[in-house]
Amino acid sequence: MAESQSKTYRIQGLSCTNCAAKFENNVRDLEGVKVAKINFGASKISIQGSTTIEEIEKAGAFDNLKIRDEQEQVMEKEPFWKQKENIKVVFSAILLLISWILDKQYGDGSNMSVIGYAVAILVGGYSLFINGLKNLVRLRFDMHTLMTVAIIGAAVLGEWGEGATVVILFAISEALEKYSMDKARNSIESLMNIAPKEALIRRGHHEMMVAVDEIEVGDTMIVKPGQKLAMDGRITKGASTLNQAAITGESEPIFKTVEGEVFAGTINGEGLLEVEVTKRVEDTTIAKIIHLVEEAQAEKAPSQAFVDRFAKFYTPAIMLIALAIAVIPPLVINGEWSEWIYRGLAVLVVGCPCALVISTPIAIVTAIGNAAKNGVLIKGGVHLEEAGAIKAIAFDKTGTLTKGIPEVTDFTVLVDGVSEQEVLGIAAALESCSQHPLATAILQKAESQNMDYHSLVVEDFTAITGKGIKGTINREVYYIGKPHLFEEEGGLTFSEDVRIQINDYQNEGKTVMVLGNQIKLLALIAVADEIRESSKEAIRKLHALGIEKTIMLTGDNIGTAKAIGAEAGVHEIQAELLPQDKLAFIKQWKQKYNRVAMIGDGINDAPALAASTVGIAMGGAGTDTALETADIALMGDDLSKLPYTIRLSRKTLKIIKQNITFSLAIKILALLLIAPGWLTLWMAIFADMGATLLVTLNSLRLLRIKEY
């Protein structure tokens, strides 16, 4: 039955960028297909229109590609040496060895050895020839075309042994390239199988195993000790420690109890949990991570875009150079046709752009996959590259450098004859209408004293951006916010004693809020937000990595900002900022440092995050806004991941440059060997194969980058 509309399929066996482009074109030409777009890094193809899996597989038959539905579980791969293509390579290599022995025994060009070489060529290079000849007829010049011309030319010149060697070395190169690409993609493939495919669900009085696709929001999921969670949800009964390494990269278990948020793919420790499912399977955090990482792999980094543009001109240029070497010397200096045609064929072989074309995407795929497994979501090669060139980093304070869980440390009543209970009740009633993080601290203090602040009705509630809030209670207008709110809004002045008290609190690193009405000040409320344990060490590591400037941006007062900034170890502190002020500072520093990163909670400071070169969100786990808006999300709400991200990015940039330089250098070196006639066909294919393998293995070094 034909599939219609937009559909995404996973591809098994896709390892070559040229093959990927050809496959995309073949699918696009299928009847009923309107649009086809391939994601090489994720090994997926998205199709708009109507076709069948069988038709898509026919379009990829030239490279033995296998297609499956995106939602299907990852197919079990056969061991490397049991795969059909690799068995053919081994058989061809044995034939080549036997033919070489016959050659030595019966002399060059013996019928037995020629037949052996010819069979080795056919067995090892059948699919190569078919594709190469089709491309040649269509004047489409890719590596298959170049290899086919070279091997046929070798056979015509009587170089059967070299032709067979070229076929086998090329086949070995492709097999190892597929193996390496599969290894690079394994980091994402493994994520796909982290969460179970079914869960124990209670509906009414019955418990049953239900496939995740059939689990609905609101269902009760029962998770036994040692089991993995299949869905995101909220604990309704029980308490346990959960290993969230799959989401955050941190293997240290987190204790959670009733109302705690839990994620699919995490492992329950010792307690029996009942969890209310809050998201469908396609909306779980792990599903979003997989989707975003795969989309990130499809986005071309600047270096990859450069290589793609270069390759468009490179391949035709190699064809022209090979033709010139084969034809011009015999015509101009009466050179031997067979000798110069042979040299031209060697140029075709060594000129294959495989190593160059794969040099960037395999590094990007490996780095993004490694980052995802370590709790860092990088949403594209461009952001990965940009992070490596960052010179300055701006930090939001609350929730980034600090834990973001403020607590009331001091509550000072400023008027006689009014109890703390009465004043705290007014403050809590006002803050119950607010969404500000500091409001939580006041409400928690009120609730800890069992205050019934809900009985106070707040009317005409208004948030005063960057300053505080106001509202009417029992026909009296009250304000709560920063000290200067009262000077600007109500024209009230502070006594010297109150100013000294405010300064003392602020110098201790506390945020001070003032509660009052239009006539007088009622109370000072000091709130402290502890600095994260990881902040100081993370900033020290960033300085050690050569980050030129670290800046803390906060809307908090200068006293608190200085105390937190000094403890964290940042270079510069900017306090009492409104959102537009933070945006202005980011623009200013971009002019000075060229590339500036901004790190915040992914919800506040959106303009500054958007204006920065790289926007980094804290706490991506379960936070939809962070996953959607940031260029990079630190899933574990942990700043220690930031130095790791910078190191990974820089190492990726370094490896990409090494790959491109090495790919071009080995081509140039091989071409220089043409003039004295030292470059043979087997040397040419060995150089091409060696370049491809070294580029691939060099990229796989990125899997070893860990936190330090």
Side-chain angles (χ1 to χ4, degrees), residues 33 88 174 307 398 519 529 540 617:
V33 173
K88 284 200 268 184
E174 284 209 311
V307 168
T398 305
I519 302 170
D529 182 9
R540 185 194 66 78

Side-chain angles (χ1 to χ4, degrees), residues 121 147-167 338 341-342 345-346 349 681-682:
I121 289 172
M147 286 294 171
T148 300
V149 171
I151 294 162
I152 292 173
V156 170
L157 294 174
E159 300 289 346
W160 290 95
E162 291 214 24
T165 304
V166 167
V167 165
S338 59
I341 289 174
Y342 180 87
L345 295 175
V349 172
L681 275 178
W682 71 266

